[in-house]
Amino acid sequence: MSENGDNRERVFRGIAASEGVCQGKLIVLHKPDDDVPHRTISQDEISDEIKRFEKALAQTRQDIREVQEKVSSAMDANEAGIFDAHLLVLEDPSLIDEAIRVLKKDTVNIEQAFHRALEKYTATLAAVDDAYLRERVSDMRDVGARVMDNLTGRNNEDFLDALTEPAIVVCHEMPPSVTASLGDKEVLGIATDIGGTTSHTAIMARSLGIPAVSGLVDISQRVATGDFALLDGYTGTVTVDPCEQTQFEYGLLIRRKQDLAEKLDELRDKPATTLDGHRITLSANIEHPSDAQLVKEYGGEGVGLFRTEYLFIHRDTLPSEEEQFEAYARVARELKPSPVIIRTLDLGGDKFMSHLRVPEEMNPFLGWRAIRFCLEEQEIFRAQLRAILRASVHGDVRMMYPMISGVGEMDQANALVEECKAELRSEGLDFNPDIEIGAMIEIPSAVMVADNLAKRAKFFSIGTNDLIQYSLAVDRMNEKIAHLYRPTHPAIMTFVRMTIEASARNGGWTGVCGEMAHDPTLAVLLLGLGAEELSVAAPSIPKIKYLIRNLDLGAARKLAAEALQCESAAEILEKATEFAKQSLPDLYTEAD
Ligand code: PEP
Ligand code: MG
């Protein structure tokens, strides 16, 4: 953070997570468990507090049983046992007695007493040299959070309830399930302590066209609700109490961006063809069926990535096959005859279902995620495959699997698709038997066996967000190492090229649906390397269409060939930036 002269302006620098500029009042949101209510009570209130506690424990028991019933059909006995362990925590007299002892001794409200008891108890367990007991710590924290929700009457879904007027939301971290409900709220901008440019919260903000800055370290502790601020999602800064000069400069910037937006709007119905006549497919990444409308508004050619996991999170039950079928068919119908590529479920990493309590993992991005989860949770996977197949007669529906690491997963998934087709046939339900199936290329091992994968997939879609994360061993969520997350690293250039060559050798095609595609400088490199499709958040389509229509692909190919000879990420970025600024000066401001 920096202070500017005698004026009160304070500038916080973070990572530009979603483009755009906004100004307004800040609202600082804390997760319910961040601020445990604290109140001193009188002796007379003790029995009422104990009654409240008993009521919250009973309610928590009921909640856990309900969730257990809802998900038991989708889990095996071992996993459903998690809930039994949670119920046992609630029966544990030592925790409950300790909370009541603290309540009486410290004469504080029960939330505070329970919090103190839980902290003491979990700290003791965590210190014991016994793996089983240490595992109980996460059960206790889970159950503790539920009890606290019931005591305070708040829960995660209420996270945004404090937002009653348009404001810039500041928080430590915004879970994707919460970001998913932002579209219904008047959020001017988002500023978070943690996260990078490819966290799912940043991706969602871009889809919604909400400016966002992440990786601001401790902004949630250093600003207060009601402060006035300017958030710049281009440079990744938040300026609190901006001085007149800063406001004036931002006024100019906003006007320039508006002029550009108007110019880009004229391209909506024009094709994405380069100056030298190459037709590129420019499609959209969507998260909700209702986003199909946005794809049309921004002039996209169908959907290159439908992140279906948003149908699964932020709710208490699994979506049925029927509900999924309706969602997929709706998008297919609305965008017909353009293609709609539905990605099968990619849960895990930073996206979880609140009701499917998957065990906590040390490295969720390297863990039980995406196709790995689906190949084990076959009931969930089959319902989705059947829904996609059934939707395939309503438009040009295609599908792709996330996180493929080798041919084994591809073969297993394809075999399940064949089984689902046979089932549908015997049930007399319609589907497109020739539905195109592709693989996402997001893991270095997949690149290395891309020829073999290409024999099993009609197309590849490169998920650069994960490909960069896994190739460079840089957690895409961790702002501390965000400077190491280098899309122009020579290894990434080579991986992209190898993938494209392998699919071409086998008669397939390759697109890119990672966030690299929405950055004009990087998009030039991807096109030069041979990407035939770019899929970006709908609001980024006009900008990338403008780029394509003003690009000489022959020159971009030369640039890519040079990049493949370079030794450092910085050198490649410099060459690409120079090229893009020369070809497309309008897309850049002096600050870029
Ligand atoms: C990617 O990894 O680039 C991708 C598009 O998938 P996601 O961001 O949903 O992991
Ligand atoms: Mg991915």
Side-chain angles (χ1 to χ4, degrees):
M1 189 195 74
S2 62
E3 306 240 358
N4 185 357
D6 336 320
N7 73 45
R8 296 169 49 225
E9 178 173 296
R10 288 183 293 155
V11 183
F12 294 84
R13 292 182 206 288
I15 297 164
S18 173
E19 285 185 356
V21 176
C22 63
Q23 48 187 329
K25 275 196 194 153
L26 299 180
I27 176 160
V28 186
L29 300 180
H30 294 284
K31 282 221 301 223
D33 52 353
D34 281 350
D35 54 349
V36 178
H38 185 187
R39 185 165 60 80
T40 310
I41 58 166
S42 66
Q43 289 293 334
D44 296 349
E45 288 175 277
I46 288 179
S47 66
D48 282 350
E49 288 297 282
I50 293 177
K51 276 195 203 123
R52 279 209 309 122
F53 189 35
E54 284 166 352
K55 203 168 144 216
L57 292 173
Q59 181 62 48
T60 308
R61 238 171 255 131
Q62 192 181 325
D63 293 347
I64 294 175
R65 285 207 190 97
E66 276 174 19
V67 180
Q68 189 173 29
E69 266 168 40
K70 273 186 210 146
V71 302
S72 58
S73 57
M75 299 179 115
D76 64 29
N78 198 12
E79 287 152 343
I82 295 169
F83 297 104
D84 290 329
H86 284 186
L87 287 168
L88 277 179
V89 172
L90 288 173
E91 309 299 332
D92 184 347
S94 27
L95 173 66
I96 294 166
D97 291 353
E98 175 66 9
I100 295 175
R101 197 187 65 75
V102 176
L103 172 85
K104 290 180 178 163
K105 182 175 134 292
D106 297 353
T107 53
V108 285
N109 56 324
I110 186 62
E111 287 90 342
Q112 195 51 234
F114 178 63
H115 174 69
R116 291 178 192 179
L118 189 70
E119 286 300 303
K120 181 171 159 196
Y121 210 82
T122 48
T124 314
L125 280 187
V128 176
D129 187 18
D130 178 311
Y132 173 79
L133 286 181
R134 276 200 309 273
E135 284 217 345
R136 300 280 68 78
V137 172
S138 74
D139 287 340
M140 296 203 99
R141 289 205 182 284
D142 252 351
V143 178
R146 283 178 180 275
V147 173
M148 201 59 90
D149 285 349
N150 283 323
L151 278 172
T152 56
R154 296 180 297 189
N155 61 39
N156 247 328
E157 274 76 50
D158 297 335
F159 192 49
L160 290 172
D161 275 4
L163 194 65
T164 50
E165 56 176 323
I168 298 172
V169 174
V170 181
C171 53
H172 178 66
E173 177 189 19
M174 190 175 280
S177 61
V178 174
T179 329
S181 59
L182 284 183
D184 310 329
K185 301 273 179 183
E186 291 198 74
V187 177
L188 301 174
I190 302 170
T192 58
D193 291 343
I194 70 163
T197 52
T198 61
S199 70
H200 282 97
T201 295
I203 290 171
M204 181 65 89
R206 271 196 293 273
S207 282
L208 295 167
I210 300 175
V213 180
S214 59
L216 288 155
V217 188
D218 55 359
I219 191 168
S220 68
Q221 308 292 324
R222 305 177 70 154
V223 297
T225 293
D227 284 350
F228 182 81
L230 224 156
L231 181 146
D232 179 350
Y234 296 108
T235 57
T237 50
V238 177
T239 310
V240 180
D241 293 326
C243 66
E244 271 182 26
Q245 177 62 22
T246 306
Q247 291 199 48
F248 172 73
E249 283 165 15
Y250 271 97
L252 292 181
L253 174 67
I254 291 169
R255 222 161 303 135
R256 259 204 320 272
K257 294 287 180 191
Q258 273 165 356
D259 291 347
L260 177 63
E262 277 164 28
K263 193 157 100 190
L264 297 185
D265 198 38
E266 292 162 12
L267 302 180
R268 191 185 14 227
D269 301 320
K270 303 224 163 91
T273 306
T274 63
L275 288 176
D276 44 350
H278 296 274
R279 186 78 168 81
I280 307 294
T281 304
L282 178 55
S283 48
N285 294 348
I286 66 167
E287 279 86 34
H288 292 289
S290 57
D291 295 342
Q293 192 50 37
L294 284 181
V295 180
K296 286 199 276 194
E297 272 170 35
Y298 285 106
E301 232 182 301
V303 169
L305 166 64
F306 184 171
R307 287 189 167 93
T308 55
E309 43 286 356
Y310 288 93
L311 296 173
F312 287 71
I313 57 181
H314 200 51
R315 55 184 291 159
D316 294 331
T317 52
L318 287 166
S320 64
E321 174 185 323
E322 208 50 37
E323 185 184 338
Q324 291 186 66
F325 161 69
E326 290 296 337
Y328 306 147
R330 175 179 158 192
V331 177
R333 271 190 224 107
E334 264 182 64
L335 296 175
K336 197 173 165 181
S338 300
V340 173
I341 303 178
I342 301 177
R343 173 180 66 191
T344 60
L345 193 55
D346 183 5
L347 282 176
D350 62 345
K351 290 171 294 192
F352 297 99
M353 276 183 286
S354 43
H355 57 288
L356 263 194
R357 306 221 145 216
V358 291
E360 231 173 79
E361 296 180 318
M362 289 273 274
N363 293 303
F365 275 110
L366 298 181
W368 199 38
R369 205 195 142 180
I371 195 71
R372 304 163 180 189
F373 173 90
C374 286
L375 290 174
E376 269 185 51
E377 295 296 327
Q378 291 202 0
E379 283 313 302
I380 298 178
F381 196 30
R382 277 170 186 277
Q384 181 173 47
L385 293 176
R386 285 175 53 103
I388 298 173
L389 285 167
R390 287 173 54 200
S392 65
V393 290
H394 292 278
D396 182 356
V397 172
R398 307 171 188 186
M399 74 166 121
M400 63 182 180
Y401 312 125
M403 291 277 294
I404 290 289
S405 66
V407 293
E409 288 154 344
M410 195 77 204
D411 286 341
Q412 277 185 66
N414 280 342
L416 280 173
V417 171
E418 289 310 314
E419 281 177 27
C420 290
K421 283 184 183 172
E423 267 171 28
L424 293 175
R425 224 173 262 125
S426 69
E427 290 166 32
L429 292 168
D430 252 6
F431 62 93
N432 170 12
D434 301 318
I435 183 170
E436 285 196 12
I437 300 182
M440 286 193 72
I441 302 294
E442 335 188 62
I443 304 182
S445 61
V447 180
M448 303 314 285
V449 299
D451 266 302
N452 293 331
L453 289 174
K455 295 189 176 78
R456 294 158 165 89
K458 282 261 191 278
F459 63 93
F460 288 153
S461 185
I462 308 181
T464 50
N465 305 338
D466 280 316
L467 184 63
I468 298 167
Q469 148 164 280
Y470 297 130
S471 305
L472 306 184
V474 178
D475 179 351
R476 64 195 263 194
M477 295 292 288
N478 187 341
E479 72 286 351
K480 281 201 194 73
I481 46 171
H483 60 288
L484 299 175
Y485 190 94
R486 307 296 300 264
T488 54
H489 191 293
I492 302 302
M493 298 292 110
T494 305
F495 280 160
V496 169
R497 184 68 198 147
M498 284 170 71
T499 305
I500 290 169
E501 281 174 351
S503 71
R505 265 196 299 275
N506 292 279
W509 58 271
T510 302
V512 177
C513 62
E515 298 302 299
M516 251 180 108
H518 92 267
D519 179 318
T521 310
L522 305 176
V524 166
L525 282 169
L526 294 170
L527 293 170
L529 287 166
E532 290 158 83
E533 179 228 29
L534 296 181
S535 189
V536 298
S540 298
I541 289 172
K543 180 178 70 180
I544 300 300
K545 192 182 279 185
Y546 178 80
L547 172 145
I548 293 170
R549 291 178 60 84
N550 287 282
L551 184 75
D552 175 348
L553 190 62
R557 284 182 181 150
K558 271 199 204 115
L559 169 79
E562 276 178 41
L564 286 167
Q565 301 305 316
C566 290
E567 290 185 354
S568 78
E571 197 184 346
I572 297 174
L573 183 62
E574 197 185 314
K575 279 188 196 299
T577 308
E578 195 185 323
F579 177 96
K581 277 189 177 174
Q582 258 174 24
S583 323
L584 312 141
D586 298 358
L587 287 185
Y588 294 83
T589 59
E590 295 88 75
D592 293 317

